[in-house]
Amino acid sequence: MMKEIDPDKLPRHIAIIMDGNGRWAERHAMGRVLGHRKGAESVRVVVRTCRRIGISCLTLYAFSMENWLRPKAEVRALLQLLKDYLVNEVQEMMDQDIRLTAIGNLDSLGAPVLMKLRETIERTAGNQGMVLNLALSYGGRDEIATAAGRMVSDSLAGKIKPADVTKELCQRYLYTSALPDPDLLIRTGGEYRISNFLLWQMAYTEFYFTDILWPDFREPDLMEAIAEYQQRERRFGRTSEQLRRT
Ligand code: IPE
Ligand code: IPE
Ligand code: MG
């Protein structure tokens, strides 16, 4: 049964830690890479569904900085899958008016992937239906350190001074400067951690964890997560009573 969701209370930005591909493959007596391939189907379903129901931004954690530590063959396969995804989905992005963006240490992805990525970003740049933001070779601490480095160099160049460094200014130096903070984080695969994802941006994000493995995650599961989000009271430090009065 599909959970009813309130179209007036949608999260503006959903972020997803797509975890559990390896365990899915193991359970089906397959190699990990097949789990990742199956996971790409969930990506397609979730992107299409988010677009249809009117989510403005979807960030997918596709490859973490730490994932470089995996066996070489798996890393290679993940990069290849990413490239295939870009090639296969660009037309769908155009048809669905979806704009692709990416965050992370993108240069480390290597020329073939990077070229495809840049090409897709450029080609979809005018689309306005939804932002699909891929976190690739992404690490939250790395993002913050990179931002700090850029602030120091702007300071040395005389563009900013210490008193200018507010949380709003810091935000503008992050990879996500153009995006609102995530309202809802979904993590599949049964782990209760954030694995270095969007550390700064998730200060007030609602967290939703599910045991479902990413390759099994489908539209009803997304609806369930959104329905649960819609039950939460986001107080941002205030009291319930204050919220009722506004
Ligand atoms: C998530 O699935 C995909 C990536 C991290 C790229 P995993 O590959 O982490 O799957 P598990 O956690 O081993 O099951
Ligand atoms: C987080 O999953 C990264 C992605 C989903 C891309 P991991 O499987 O890498 O996280 P850990 O290692 O279990 O924390
Ligand atoms: Mg994992």
Side-chain angles (χ1 to χ4, degrees), residues 16-20 23 32 60-64 66-67 70 135 187 191 193-197:
I16 307 184
I17 302 178
M18 310 182 288
D19 197 20
R23 280 162 287 163
R32 296 182 58 87
L60 300 176
Y61 203 5
F63 192 81
S64 77
E66 289 73 22
N67 289 147
R70 292 189 178 197
R187 182 173 188 143
E191 313 290 355
R193 54 176 172 259
I194 56 174
S195 302
N196 204 14
F197 193 35

Side-chain angles (χ1 to χ4, degrees), residues 25 74 92 108 118-119 128 136 149 157 170 184 204 218:
E74 183 172 345
E92 168 97 359
S108 66
R118 295 240 181 274
E119 193 187 302
Q128 302 202 322
L136 301 168
C170 290
L184 169 63
Y204 268 103
R218 286 294 178 271

Side-chain angles (χ1 to χ4, degrees), residues 6-20:
D6 178 350
D8 297 326
K9 274 177 66 181
L10 287 174
R12 211 155 47 118
H13 182 178
I14 299 178
I16 307 184
I17 302 178
M18 310 182 288
D19 197 20

Side-chain angles (χ1 to χ4, degrees), residues 9-111:
K9 274 177 66 181
L10 287 174
R12 211 155 47 118
H13 182 178
I14 299 178
I16 307 184
I17 302 178
M18 310 182 288
D19 197 20
N21 296 351
R23 280 162 287 163
W24 185 94
E26 202 175 309
R27 274 180 212 175
H28 292 77
M30 296 173 181
R32 296 182 58 87
V33 171
L34 288 176
H36 296 312
R37 193 166 300 161
K38 189 77 187 166
E41 285 176 29
S42 301
V43 171
R44 276 187 280 274
V45 171
V46 166
V47 168
R48 204 177 311 130
T49 306
C50 283
R51 169 69 180 99
R52 197 193 71 235
I53 64 178
I55 301 299
S56 13
C57 180
L58 172 66
T59 295
L60 300 176
Y61 203 5
F63 192 81
S64 77
M65 204 81 176
E66 289 73 22
N67 289 147
W68 290 109
L69 299 171
R70 292 189 178 197
K72 272 207 177 69
E74 183 172 345
V75 170
R76 216 177 305 122
L78 281 166
L79 293 175
Q80 184 60 47
L81 266 176
L82 168 63
K83 202 161 149 256
D84 294 346
Y85 178 81
L86 295 171
V87 173
N88 297 335
E89 296 305 309
V90 65
Q91 193 51 53
E92 168 97 359
M93 290 179 210
M94 295 310 294
D95 294 346
Q96 303 266 333
D97 200 21
I98 293 171
R99 172 175 180 197
L100 186 81
T101 60
I103 56 172
N105 183 6
L106 304 180
D107 289 336
S108 66
L109 295 171

